[in-house]
Amino acid sequence: MGNEETPQSSRRTTRSLASAIPSDNTSEAPRKSISYKPTIYDLIYRNRGDKISSLENLISSFPGRSSQITEVLGHLGPLNSPMFPLFMYGGASSGKTSIVLEIFRYLRRPFVYSSCVSCYSPRILFESILNQLAFHRRVEEYGYSSVKKCDKPSDFANFVKEALVSVLDILKGKSAKMSAKGRSADDLGNMIYLIIDDFELVREWDKSSTVLPFLFGLYRMLGLPEVGIIFISKVSPDGFYSNSGHIEPIPLFFPGYTEDNLRQIFMLKKEKSDLNSCFLDFVLKPFSRVTRQVDELSVAFCPLYEKYCEPLKVPGSNFSWETKQKRGDAKRRLFSHLVPHISPSLNQVFNISSHDVKATSDVVKGRTSVKKLGTQDDELDFHLSVSAKYLLISAFLASRNPATLDASFFDSTGGPSNGKKKRKCSEKSTEQKEMAEQELLLKGPGTFPLERLLAIFQCITYGADISIDEEEEVHDDDDDTLENQGAQNDLTSNVLLQVSSLCNANFISKGSSCPLEGSTRYKSTVSEELAVKIARSLKFPISRYLYRR
Amino acid sequence: MEKNPGEEALALLRTRICDPNAFFSLLPPSPDTNFSKLKFIVSSSITEACNNSVLLLGPRGCGKTAVLELVLKDLLAEYPDMITVIKLNGLLHSDDNCALKEIARQLCVEHQLLFSKMASFDDNTQFVISMLRECGLAHKTIVIVLDEFDLFAQGKQRLLYSLLDAMQSVTSQAIIIGISCRLDADQLLEKRVRSRLSHRKLLFCPPSKDELERLLECLLSLPVNSSLPQSYVVEFNKELRKILADQKFKDSINTLLSSDSTVDQILRFLFLSVSTMDLKTGILSVENFKSVVEKINRKPKLEYLKDCSVLELYILVCMKRLEVKEQNSYNFNSVMKEYKAIHDSFQTPDSYARNVCLRAFEHLIQRELICFMDNRGYNQSIEFRSVKLLISPYELHQGLEKNQNCPSMLQKLMNQTGQRS
């Protein structure tokens, strides 16, 4: 999300607070005292400190976006001119939200901003808009309640019209007074704008699909020419088509940044422009082949830049930038220091060692970050108990191996009769083998009932205990096999707890219940590399138990 | 502060274009317009004190609501205190309970009665029926406008039935006006409802070309007797007439109308062209109109394809290859297999780790260039859910050509797959 450039303000809390760059005006967000009386000026985006007053400033702070900015400005038009609803779309991190907010700061016009990420249901969206229009804050005083309870679109249509009319009345009164005094610079105009961000999420809200055409048609339904509506979405307008159609807003596309734009953006933030530009020479090209999103690139560049600057900080190193020859030499030395770090970083989604970076990428990725944890663990040590590790392995085995072969693998008398199975496999034609492989790729890990997991767990811990005991003394387990058995029987309650915590950590996913058996089925989401790694840490011979097709 | 005449003129034009009724109020009065037909139907039922119903049908953006608004405005002026207008919208009030509540609420507002939020469905029905009777006795007409009429026909149609049934009695005096973009809206009704509906239908069509040309001048020219300086207005209107006669302008209007010739589309076009007007000179030019046509007729998929990074393009081509191989379902894992195979056989420089590819894959899903086959399997991880391409081979081909970063190797690969299929 393109909020790197958004300076923080006291009012906008949704996206600007998540931005990674700490801005210098955080201190100007004062704790609003209880006696604070909100006014119409709350609907303006303003910073008391610095003011972007010129259009040139605005355009230069967003490299590569000048045509989009002029288009939005043209669409909003001069003061007091009505507008058709605008639909802004473009990929993630292309500056849609930040540009719109900055433009409103520049224009000093009142607006209401709601994002469908934080307002995740129609009701919350409606109430957020109404709260802002009524200058209502959800504070302790009112028990954090909204100004109005509003569940249905039909109620919202009535309430919002009322609220808008009352705000517009205030605005008209203000602008009449202003023009009487002759201070047109302070005139807020008598338009109010509703901005709805992340609009693509609305499609998932209701299956009966009335909210979407309702919001698209809101402009016509209100019948107030003084209200401008702006939708911001990651999905193009053709992703919104519904059965009976709707009133279409005017589309405006924000294209992704080109390589030149990216360079300009990254040059904006750093102070040592000379050094930074050399650094970008090296990294921008390879990285932009992978992704061109500013947020992801900046996450990748941050640690790399630190690495790049490392030789400069070493005492005794003499880097000088005076002459051309020396500069070239310095560049070469810095580059050779950086080279080994580039390609690992290219193949990394996010860096775990740095807390800062991880937090931001978690925000960005949200949904998938947990799953990815399983695959990225070079330095990650698992703080799991031994039994949890065994559980993970047994879940992995249960997911990969067909249930019918369990007996032959885990039969304590026969032991794993690998040779026999191998032969059986090779008898199959290669074609069939390919088919099976394909199937595995498509189907993903298999499901298993809890009983099977526990049975495999019993088997491998029983087998493993002996082998471990022979090699090294496990401190809390006695050598006595009898006692061992007893401990394992005790374990079950403990194990069930561990299973549920592994489920919560998304190592094991809990599926729907099987229609035939009626019991819940589980599935391991752990990748093979991770399972092998865990097995190695336990010195458990996992390959002996893994069925190879 | 001195006001820029261009700015003022722009505000004036934008106000005019954004008012949905303006376009239709400019239409010349003649007996066969929908406006006069509708006005005749409604006014005759007011004067003759009878019940009536009419359906306004036609595609979206052809001015059904706008014409109705104009008619109602005229009639409200003509017969003050004799008409009560109730407006419902199928998007908001398709649920019977909610709809009756809204009717009761609007009736209360109109007649200065106290509306009770707690009233039950039965109370509201009783109230509405007795209001219908009372109004009939006082010779007041209730006009009920049902926007998105087809949505009221979902479910049991209790609302429509009870309204139409109440209108069967002699005492009541009401007009139901249904507005729908479905031409078969009356076929959706149950028999008992349909038989109570009078089958008057008005069909709304996009304006013809002659009409349009006349209207464009009316819409865009500045009024002579306004606060704007006289010389500026004359200059502006002269320039405008020149533009309207220009062949280039006519061409762009034709390309616009060939895809969509509804009034809404024309208004959007005019709005965008007017907003690009140079405020310094304050005069419109042909370029303003020409550039907008491209802006309106967008190709979003191609735009997103142009935004793709090289890795994302690789994934798309891999998926295309899988489709050509007639694999009926595939997921991220099979795409990765194909990706590895391409890398192995062609030694491309773009071989990245699996998680990086997965991120690129997610970008594609986010941009809706690809999507999951089904909504099942939410608890399954992304790698295993089967996916499909949302772009045609032609689009992909074009996208690869237009993308400046696209390696030539990838284009070659794409061409090969095209030939094989």
Side-chain angles (χ1 to χ4, degrees):
Chain A
M1 318 206 158
N3 44 13
E4 271 77 27
E5 294 96 333
T6 318
Q8 294 187 345
S9 91
S10 54
R11 205 166 74 84
R12 309 288 155 206
T13 48
T14 42
R15 292 181 68 161
S16 33
L17 276 186
S19 70
I21 308 299
S23 81
D24 48 353
N25 46 17
T26 37
S27 56
E28 66 87 39
R31 277 264 143 263
K32 294 271 188 286
S33 58
I34 305 280
S35 62
Y36 173 75
K37 253 266 184 293
T39 61
I40 188 79
Y41 289 101
D42 257 24
L43 293 183
I44 310 171
Y45 189 20
R46 64 201 163 132
N47 271 12
R48 254 152 289 163
D50 57 334
K51 243 201 221 166
I52 292 188
S53 47
S54 72
L55 185 59
E56 289 80 49
N57 249 340
L58 178 67
I59 289 176
S60 65
S61 61
F62 292 102
R65 280 291 171 263
S66 62
S67 78
Q68 277 75 26
I69 290 175
T70 43
E71 251 178 82
V72 175
L73 281 173
H75 196 103
L76 295 174
L79 208 61
N80 299 342
S81 58
M83 63 172 260
F84 275 138
L86 177 67
F87 184 93
M88 292 170 34
Y89 67 102
S93 189
S94 54
K96 302 178 293 293
T97 305
S98 38
I99 282 176
V100 164
L101 292 180
E102 276 312 291
I103 282 177
F104 273 95
R105 190 151 76 113
Y106 159 69
L107 290 174
R108 287 178 49 80
R109 293 191 195 169
F111 69 98
V112 166
Y113 172 91
S114 306
S115 159
C116 295
V117 170
S118 47
C119 305
Y120 54 86
S121 77
R123 183 184 156 180
I124 298 172
L125 177 70
F126 295 158
E127 287 181 358
S128 134
I129 292 174
L130 290 174
N131 283 344
Q132 292 182 58
L133 284 174
F135 320 123
H136 175 92
R137 284 162 170 281
R138 292 176 60 188
V139 288
E140 203 177 355
E141 201 183 349
Y142 311 113
Y144 298 103
S145 66
S146 298
V147 65
K148 273 204 177 103
K149 226 182 130 183
C150 176
D151 240 337
K152 289 179 194 150
S154 54
D155 293 336
F156 176 67
N158 292 330
F159 289 147
V160 82
K161 191 159 182 177
E162 262 170 50
L164 282 170
V165 166
S166 70
V167 169
L168 288 172
D169 280 345
I170 300 174
L171 279 173
K172 269 174 202 154
K174 272 249 181 334
S175 66
K177 239 191 265 167
M178 288 295 178
S179 54
K181 278 186 199 162
R183 280 167 53 200
S184 51
D186 280 350
D187 196 353
L188 304 180
N190 42 26
M191 285 284 290
I192 182 151
Y193 299 86
L194 303 183
I195 303 174
I196 305 181
D197 203 349
D198 301 298
F199 197 63
E200 72 276 0
L201 295 174
V202 175
R203 294 177 304 165
E204 290 159 21
W205 282 357
D206 59 341
K207 297 291 170 262
S208 59
S209 65
T210 54
V211 177
L212 195 69
F214 162 66
L215 287 174
F216 273 130
L218 189 62
Y219 174 71
R220 282 288 155 81
M221 248 177 253
L222 288 173
L224 296 169
E226 295 94 345
V227 180
I229 302 181
I230 299 174
F231 303 105
I232 303 176
S233 157
K234 281 194 206 67
V235 173
S236 57
D238 60 347
F240 287 89
Y241 286 145
S242 60
N243 263 344
S244 60
H246 48 73
I247 300 163
E248 283 169 40
I250 294 175
L252 172 60
F253 180 55
F254 275 61
Y257 291 110
T258 61
E259 220 177 289
D260 290 340
N261 298 151
L262 287 174
R263 164 179 284 275
Q264 282 170 320
I265 290 169
F266 284 107
M267 290 299 286
L268 269 183
K269 289 181 206 159
K270 294 272 164 44
E271 56 285 352
K272 284 185 193 163
S273 59
D274 207 12
L275 197 63
N276 193 26
S277 120
C278 292
F279 170 68
L280 289 177
D281 279 341
F282 300 135
V283 291
L284 202 52
K285 195 140 190 101
F287 273 90
S288 71
R289 283 177 88 88
V290 179
T291 174
R292 300 229 296 270
Q293 293 191 6
V294 179
D295 51 358
E296 286 165 2
L297 286 178
S298 63
V299 163
F301 285 173
C302 259
L304 272 184
Y305 186 68
E306 271 167 33
K307 275 263 149 33
Y308 185 69
C309 295
E310 247 171 28
L312 295 175
K313 286 173 194 147
V314 175
S317 65
N318 47 344
F319 283 96
S320 67
W321 299 84
E322 272 96 60
T323 64
K324 200 176 173 194
Q325 197 208 339
K326 274 183 184 169
R327 199 180 302 155
D329 183 47
K331 262 191 207 172
R332 221 168 298 125
R333 275 170 66 192
L334 287 175
F335 178 59
S336 60
H337 180 74
L338 184 69
V339 162
H341 299 288
I342 289 183
S343 76
S345 167
L346 265 177
N347 289 324
Q348 207 169 36
V349 175
F350 53 73
N351 203 344
I352 291 181
S353 56
S354 156
H355 282 286
D356 240 329
V357 173
K358 194 190 161 210
T360 49
S361 56
D362 262 346
V363 170
V364 173
K365 293 260 138 203
R367 206 154 35 90
T368 51
S369 58
V370 185
K371 278 171 201 156
K372 288 228 179 99
L373 259 181
T375 52
Q376 318 258 313
D377 49 359
D378 287 337
E379 307 91 34
L380 202 65
D381 184 35
F382 275 96
H383 298 288
L384 286 176
S385 63
V386 176
S387 65
K389 281 182 182 174
Y390 273 116
L391 258 180
L392 258 184
I393 291 175
S394 41
F396 174 73
L397 288 176
S399 264
R400 290 302 140 103
N401 292 351
T404 43
L405 293 179
D406 276 354
S408 56
F409 274 130
F410 300 110
D411 194 350
S412 53
T413 52
S417 50
N418 267 338
K420 215 175 176 184
K421 214 154 294 104
K422 277 263 167 66
R423 194 150 22 101
K424 227 168 143 192
C425 269
S426 58
E427 276 164 15
K428 286 178 189 164
S429 66
T430 45
E431 206 173 295
Q432 251 174 326
K433 215 169 161 185
E434 233 167 58
M435 287 275 283
E437 207 174 317
Q438 202 67 45
E439 207 180 329
L440 182 73
L441 276 181
L442 284 178
K443 251 182 20 199
T447 59
F448 51 86
L450 187 64
E451 290 80 10
R452 192 169 155 225
L453 173 70
L454 292 181
I456 294 179
F457 178 69
Q458 288 273 11
C459 290
I460 62 174
T461 40
Y462 182 70
D465 273 339
I466 296 165
S467 61
I468 286 170
D469 289 347
E470 281 164 3
E471 285 167 29
E472 53 181 308
E473 296 292 313
V474 177
H475 17 271
D476 52 358
D477 268 352
D478 283 4
D479 290 27
D480 195 342
T481 38
L482 266 176
E483 235 181 282
N484 218 343
Q485 293 272 347
Q488 297 225 327
N489 287 339
D490 276 354
L491 257 181
T492 40
S493 65
N494 231 340
V495 162
L496 285 179
L497 251 178
Q498 303 232 15
V499 169
S500 75
S501 63
L502 285 177
C503 278
N504 287 339
N506 215 358
F507 286 121
I508 301 175
S509 84
K510 208 167 168 178
S512 55
S513 61
C514 172
L516 286 177
E517 292 170 36
S519 60
T520 329
R521 295 187 75 91
Y522 296 81
K523 182 188 288 181
S524 139
T525 55
V526 172
S527 68
E528 186 162 347
E529 300 118 73
L530 182 65
V532 169
K533 208 164 280 171
I534 294 172
R536 206 178 299 137
S537 76
L538 289 172
K539 299 214 167 68
F540 173 76
I542 192 168
S543 50
R544 268 166 60 197
Y545 295 98
L546 203 57
Y547 173 61
R548 302 258 171 224
R549 267 166 251 247
Chain B
M1 201 177 98
E2 194 65 25
K3 255 214 157 177
N4 184 351
E7 215 166 275
E8 210 174 318
L10 179 59
L12 183 92
L13 286 178
R14 284 168 62 122
T15 319
R16 205 188 277 164
I17 292 169
C18 285
D19 179 9
N21 302 349
F23 191 88
F24 297 95
S25 59
L26 289 171
L27 283 170
S30 85
D32 39 86
T33 55
N34 277 326
F35 175 78
S36 14
K37 281 184 203 159
L38 183 63
K39 193 172 171 185
F40 175 73
I41 293 173
V42 180
S43 67
S44 66
S45 18
I46 292 173
T47 48
E48 287 163 24
C50 60
N51 290 311
N52 212 340
S53 54
V54 61
L55 289 180
L56 314 182
L57 306 176
R60 262 173 217 284
C62 283
K64 301 181 292 291
T65 320
V67 166
L68 177 65
E69 297 262 311
L70 285 173
V71 166
L72 288 177
K73 206 173 97 192
D74 269 19
L75 290 175
L76 279 171
E78 238 171 85
Y79 308 98
D81 298 331
M82 278 185 70
I83 311 173
T84 310
V85 181
I86 308 286
K87 282 182 189 162
L88 295 189
N89 191 317
L91 285 172
L92 306 176
H93 312 108
S94 59
D95 155 42
D96 293 334
N97 200 352
C98 184
L100 264 177
K101 213 176 199 173
E102 182 65 20
I103 296 178
R105 194 189 68 84
Q106 291 191 15
L107 277 173
C108 286
V109 172
E110 282 283 328
H111 296 275
Q112 279 98 40
L113 298 171
L114 203 66
F115 171 64
S116 156
K117 272 185 191 166
M118 307 301 290
S120 69
F121 183 73
D122 277 350
D123 293 344
N124 281 331
T125 323
Q126 291 274 313
F127 174 74
V128 170
I129 288 175
S130 57
M131 275 306 281
L132 274 173
R133 201 174 49 233
E134 290 294 317
C135 285
L137 289 173
H139 289 292
K140 280 187 175 180
T141 304
I142 296 182
V143 180
I144 301 177
V145 180
L146 302 176
D147 206 344
E148 312 279 348
F149 183 74
D150 46 317
L151 293 178
F152 285 103
Q154 289 170 346
K156 297 225 160 159
Q157 310 181 354
R158 258 200 332 208
L159 175 81
L160 287 177
Y161 177 73
S162 52
L163 279 178
L164 286 165
D165 198 45
M167 280 168 56
Q168 296 292 307
S169 69
V170 198
T171 47
S172 75
Q173 192 177 330
I175 307 168
I176 289 188
I177 301 176
I179 303 175
S180 174
C181 59
R182 281 188 71 163
L183 298 185
D184 64 341
D186 58 334
Q187 301 302 312
L188 298 170
L189 299 173
E190 282 172 25
K191 200 176 147 214
R192 56 171 191 166
V193 180
R194 207 184 313 158
S195 64
R196 283 169 169 79
L197 194 77
S198 81
H199 285 265
R200 282 177 225 275
K201 282 186 250 178
L202 288 181
L203 193 64
F204 284 72
C205 293
S208 68
K209 239 175 212 162
D210 303 334
E211 261 181 325
L212 197 70
E213 266 167 35
R214 255 179 298 140
L215 286 174
L216 280 183
E217 192 172 341
C218 296
L219 264 180
L220 291 178
S221 56
L222 293 176
V224 184
N225 47 353
S226 65
S227 59
L228 293 163
Q230 194 69 29
S231 56
Y232 170 70
V233 171
V234 172
E235 168 86 28
F236 185 93
N237 288 346
K238 201 179 94 193
E239 211 41 52
L240 177 70
R241 244 166 277 136
K242 226 190 267 169
I243 293 170
L244 292 178
D246 196 325
Q247 190 54 44
K248 272 194 232 158
F249 173 77
K250 281 182 181 160
D251 287 346
S252 47
I253 278 276
N254 281 341
T255 41
L256 180 83
L257 295 187
S258 59
S259 67
D260 180 1
S261 60
T262 58
V263 177
D264 260 8
Q265 175 85 344
I266 294 157
L267 288 179
R268 273 196 298 252
F269 168 70
L270 292 182
F271 176 83
L272 277 178
S273 337
V274 166
S275 355
T276 51
M277 181 169 81
D278 187 9
L279 279 180
K280 282 200 190 94
T281 58
I283 304 285
L284 286 168
S285 71
V286 185
E287 296 309 310
N288 290 344
F289 293 94
K290 253 183 77 185
S291 62
V292 167
V293 176
E294 285 156 34
K295 255 187 243 167
I296 286 191
N297 290 334
R298 290 197 162 281
K299 290 178 186 153
K301 293 283 182 217
L302 271 185
E303 284 167 345
Y304 274 137
L305 270 177
K306 248 196 236 173
D307 275 4
C308 282
S309 67
V310 176
L311 177 60
E312 284 155 13
L313 290 178
Y314 263 102
I315 290 176
L316 285 176
V317 170
C318 286
M319 288 177 70
K320 180 70 206 128
R321 281 168 69 95
L322 286 175
E323 265 180 18
V324 169
K325 280 184 193 165
E326 286 174 18
Q327 278 196 11
N328 37 20
S329 81
Y330 50 88
N331 60 13
F332 178 70
N333 283 333
S334 22
V335 172
M336 276 313 281
K337 213 177 126 197
E338 183 70 25
Y339 176 73
K340 285 254 161 62
I342 286 182
H343 176 67
D344 287 346
S345 51
F346 296 97
Q347 293 303 320
T348 61
D350 301 281
S351 134
Y352 300 104
R354 189 186 160 84
N355 49 17
V356 176
C357 293
L358 186 60
R359 183 177 67 179
F361 193 71
E362 279 172 359
H363 288 172
L364 291 174
I365 291 173
Q366 208 176 46
R367 290 191 194 132
E368 303 216 330
L369 291 173
I370 61 180
C371 77
F372 294 120
M373 288 279 245
D374 44 21
N375 283 326
R376 284 182 296 124
Y378 265 124
N379 50 6
Q380 214 166 7
S381 39
I382 293 175
E383 296 107 291
F384 298 110
R385 295 179 65 183
S386 58
V387 287
K388 64 181 174 201
L389 275 174
L390 287 179
I391 44 175
S392 63
Y394 176 70
E395 277 174 315
L396 182 55
H397 192 81
Q398 267 200 321
L400 288 181
E401 271 174 10
K402 291 223 173 119
N403 194 317
Q404 293 154 354
N405 306 337
C406 176
S408 53
M409 213 286 298
L410 206 51
Q411 275 184 29
K412 241 183 267 164
L413 264 179
M414 185 61 204
N415 291 340
Q416 278 175 16
T417 45
Q419 280 160 14
R420 218 186 296 162
S421 60

